[in-house]
Amino acid sequence: MENKLRIAAAIAAQTGLEADQLKDWLETPPDPAMGDYAFPCFRLAKTMRKAPPAIAAELAGSIGHIDGIASMEAKGGYLNFFADKTAFVRDTLNKVLAQGDSYGNDNIGGGRNVCVEYSSINIAKPFHIGHLPSTAIGNSLYRIYKALGYNAIGINHLGDWGTQFGKMIVAYKKWGDKPVPQCTVRELVKLYVRFHEEAEAHPEMNDEARAWFKKIESGDNEAVTLWQQFKDLTLKEVGKVYDRLGVHFDSYAGESFYEDKMGAVIDELREKGLLTVDKGATLVDLSAYDMPPCIILRSDGATLYATRDLAAAIYRKNTYDFVKSLYVVAYQQNLHFKQFFKVLELMGNDWVKDCEHVNFGMVSMEEGTLSTRHGNVVYLEDVLNAAAEKTGKIIEDKSPDLPDKDDVAAAVGVGAVVWGMLYNSRIKDVTFSWNKVLNFDGETGPYAQYTHARCCSVLRKAGGYDADRIDPSCFSDDATVALAKAIAAFPAAVRGAADKNEPYLVARATMEVCTAFNRFYFCNHIMTDDAGVSAARLALTDAARITIKKGLYLVGLQAPERM
């Protein structure tokens, strides 16, 4: 039983309150000199009808010995507890070594389904740096929910429908000079950009594009074949980038998948009296909820994003019976999700409470806004290549004899880019800068990966350790205790990341372990003449390695054993 629960149980025995509630009230003092845990007695002032300092003094006198706690003191309105440092480090170490690679895992999910929609790239358009936040955040949440015992279902809701494919066909037929399977996505993007340039002078091209998309909708053989070829080419190319990022999806059901499922949704909306017609458009009036109307059908009868999202949400509930359905989409779509969630609610779907828009800040370039139409994009593949190239040069300078240099450079380069997206709260806007992304100094992914490699190096040079010979008497120095605290805090950070859908909590907790380990490494001789002390410090090194590796995995990074 962990210290917090032991303390809560001891206070519960004196107050008659529930230990689970008291546990949540425990705090961590800002200064370790004030204790390892603090109970704010003002929370009991109303029920006990006493001043907080008097309550603290009374509890200090009535609570006996608590396992794992060396002492306690009443200070003002707080009851402060000081952990038995040696016991704390020992218990933490035993827990990590017993669980091994499962450390940080939990079974709070109980196998229940969580849908995570992320990345959601557009067909025949570039996989650019603007897609990285959704891809990285979603992949991390997918792994975090899996670690907590949920059955996570990764969904790439492809942008594979709409008039843009009519534009793509017009551009390809006018200026394409080879079969689609022999093209690259970048060549298709150039054609798409040229279409918009030419259409400014020849607006009739837009009518031609609409006509070609109508052919796709009608099942015209040539139109559907070209559309499918654009889709196959895009998925083949982006699949290589996903492999480099270690990103996985269970479903690629995009907008086109729901084309034959929207009719039933529209019929249900009509049957429930939710639809009105305004200037030819069919919509759900949301003025009573201080929102603009949610348009279901345009005046020409075309469906919109909201129509497809309603069909997708209902399909996912019927197919997966999720307990959570997450949409990892930029905050620019806040209103869209509020509207479409409200329509689901008005339809009588009480499960809409389990749907959440996991929004994040936008990515812009230092030179301006990203725009496919104007060709103003930074391809994610180029970013990963540049990061791997820079890492390769650093490795060549510092470790020319390192085995598998190219693989390590790729892992560390990707890690630098992904970590940069996940180390801060997801809601913050990001201005993409080559210099910032490729700067490996400070609290970065490469630093965390290097710390993991350092742990592996120490254990490798020692040739392992005998856990039965561990001497816990060396577990009381500040650096050792600080490392154990950082390791012990990790599982709570994983649970917190799922509660708030904030992967940065795992990244920060992992960095805390890295920082604490490096201090421990410099403050203590790990290999000594005392076999018991050496075994103890090697075991703690191993616990740090296990925790860092899990943290890196959960945020989507590899953990090289040599750097």
Side-chain angles (χ1 to χ4, degrees):
M1 187 174 5
E2 64 177 31
N3 285 343
K4 278 192 173 183
L5 194 50
R6 294 188 186 109
I7 293 169
I11 298 174
Q14 301 299 319
T15 62
L17 297 174
E18 293 292 329
D20 286 343
Q21 182 181 33
L22 294 168
K23 179 186 174 185
D24 292 338
W25 290 351
L26 283 167
E27 301 174 359
T28 301
D31 181 356
M34 299 169 64
D36 297 293
Y37 313 96
F39 182 76
C41 294
F42 67 84
R43 294 220 180 228
L44 304 178
K46 188 173 182 180
T47 56
M48 296 183 70
R49 299 187 179 185
K50 293 180 182 179
I55 297 172
E58 182 178 321
L59 289 174
S62 59
I63 293 175
H65 173 72
I66 303 174
D67 286 344
I69 301 300
S71 63
M72 74 185 90
E73 68 173 9
K75 191 120 179 178
Y78 286 84
L79 184 58
N80 298 329
F81 298 86
F82 295 82
D84 180 335
K85 292 180 172 55
T86 298
F88 170 72
V89 176
R90 181 199 63 217
D91 292 348
T92 299
L93 181 59
N94 289 341
K95 183 177 181 179
V96 178
L97 296 183
Q99 295 182 11
D101 291 340
S102 297
Y103 184 63
N105 289 2
D106 207 323
N107 194 36
I108 57 177
R112 295 173 295 167
N113 290 338
V114 173
C115 293
V116 188
E117 178 189 307
Y118 54 108
S119 198
S120 301
I121 59 160
N122 295 308
I123 297 302
K125 289 188 178 180
F127 190 7
H128 57 68
I129 192 68
H131 292 112
L132 181 59
S134 174
T135 306
I137 293 167
N139 181 53
S140 180
L141 290 176
Y142 179 88
R143 294 182 177 196
I144 288 168
Y145 277 101
K146 284 271 192 183
L148 293 176
Y150 291 93
N151 178 37
I153 299 153
I155 300 171
N156 195 334
H157 187 69
L158 299 173
D160 62 355
W161 205 245
T163 309
Q164 67 265 30
F165 292 99
K167 296 177 181 179
M168 195 66 251
I169 290 175
V170 172
Y172 175 75
K173 288 181 71 67
K174 284 183 178 293
W175 308 300
D177 57 4
K178 55 187 170 183
V180 175
Q182 295 177 21
C183 295
T184 66
V185 171
R186 297 189 189 212
E187 289 171 335
L188 295 183
V189 171
K190 287 180 180 179
L191 295 177
Y192 186 77
V193 171
R194 184 173 178 182
F195 175 93
H196 283 278
E197 292 172 347
E198 297 281 348
E200 289 183 7
H202 304 283
E204 66 275 8
M205 290 174 60
N206 289 310
D207 295 329
E208 192 177 353
R210 282 189 284 269
W212 271 106
F213 179 60
K214 186 67 176 176
K215 287 185 178 182
I216 297 175
E217 291 182 302
S218 302
D220 176 83
N221 185 62
E222 181 184 11
V224 171
T225 297
L226 285 171
W227 170 78
Q228 188 63 53
Q229 287 178 338
F230 295 150
K231 187 171 177 177
D232 292 343
L233 174 64
T234 305
L235 290 178
K236 181 180 178 181
E237 285 199 15
V238 301
K240 296 175 183 177
V241 180
Y242 285 137
D243 287 344
R244 293 177 70 177
L245 292 169
V247 171
H248 168 79
F249 297 98
D250 301 293
S251 168
Y252 281 88
E255 293 182 66
S256 64
F257 179 79
Y258 300 102
E259 273 301 291
D260 62 353
K261 299 169 180 59
M262 289 186 289
V265 174
I266 295 168
D267 290 344
E268 183 179 348
L269 287 166
R270 187 171 286 115
E271 289 168 6
K272 292 182 175 178
L274 293 172
L275 295 181
T276 59
V277 178
D278 184 17
K279 297 179 182 178
T282 303
L283 51 86
V284 178
D285 183 2
L286 298 177
S287 58
Y289 307 98
D290 296 321
M291 283 187 276
C294 182
I295 301 175
I296 303 300
L297 293 170
R298 289 193 314 212
S299 58
D300 62 359
T303 57
L304 290 93
Y305 287 122
T307 328
R308 290 186 278 274
D309 276 347
L310 288 167
I314 293 169
Y315 172 85
R316 290 172 192 174
K317 182 60 181 177
N318 291 338
T319 304
Y320 303 116
D321 192 24
F322 55 74
V323 294
K324 286 186 182 184
S325 185
L326 309 179
Y327 296 82
V328 187
V329 181
Y331 69 60
Q332 281 188 333
Q333 299 299 319
N334 281 358
L335 176 60
H336 166 76
F337 281 99
K338 287 179 181 177
Q339 289 176 304
F340 126 68
F341 289 165
K342 177 55 69 174
V343 173
L344 281 175
E345 180 186 334
L346 293 173
M347 293 174 74
N349 299 304
D350 61 349
W351 47 263
V352 70
K353 68 182 186 304
D354 302 319
C355 298
E356 183 176 348
H357 176 204
V358 181
N359 57 5
F360 56 84
M362 296 297 294
V363 177
S364 61
M365 294 169 57
E366 290 180 314
E367 298 82 5
T369 306
L370 295 163
S371 171
T372 303
R373 290 188 180 189
H374 300 99
N376 184 26
V377 296
V378 174
Y379 283 84
L380 186 52
E381 182 181 24
D382 291 345
V383 175
L384 300 182
N385 288 341
E389 183 181 352
K390 176 173 181 178
T391 307
K393 291 178 180 177
I394 294 172
I395 290 174
E396 188 63 43
D397 290 341
K398 294 186 175 182
S399 306
D401 299 324
L402 181 71
D404 303 317
K405 285 184 288 189
D406 290 344
D407 291 340
V408 174
V412 176
V414 169
V417 175
V418 173
W419 186 275
M421 286 292 167
L422 297 182
Y423 196 58
N424 293 302
S425 173
R426 55 181 161 78
I427 202 60
K428 291 186 176 181
D429 286 334
V430 176
T431 299
F432 177 76
S433 162
W434 286 101
N435 290 332
K436 289 180 181 177
V437 169
L438 302 181
N439 182 358
F440 294 175
D441 297 327
E443 297 179 339
T444 63
Y447 173 80
Q449 290 171 311
Y450 176 76
T451 304
H452 175 268
R454 169 173 276 173
C455 292
C456 293
S457 175
V458 170
L459 293 165
R460 191 165 51 246
K461 289 176 181 177
Y465 60 92
D466 185 351
D468 293 332
R469 300 190 68 178
I470 290 174
D471 178 4
S473 66
C474 65
F475 284 158
S476 59
D477 67 280
D478 290 345
T480 298
V481 174
L483 176 55
K485 282 185 176 181
I487 292 171
F490 180 78
V494 178
R495 294 190 297 272
D499 289 342
K500 298 178 180 179
N501 291 315
E502 283 281 18
Y504 90 92
L505 294 173
V506 173
R508 293 293 175 97
T510 304
M511 185 56 65
E512 289 292 330
V513 177
C514 293
T515 303
F517 174 76
N518 284 314
R519 183 185 171 210
F520 165 81
Y521 177 84
F522 286 111
C523 290
N524 292 284
H525 292 293
I526 295 177
M527 295 303 299
T528 71
D529 294 334
D530 188 319
V533 171
S534 294
R537 290 175 177 164
L538 285 168
L540 195 54
T541 298
D542 199 17
R545 177 196 64 80
I546 290 168
T547 309
I548 296 168
K549 182 179 180 180
K550 174 55 72 68
L552 290 171
Y553 171 78
L554 291 178
V555 295
L557 273 68
Q558 294 183 48
E561 295 186 4
R562 298 174 188 266
M563 278 179 68

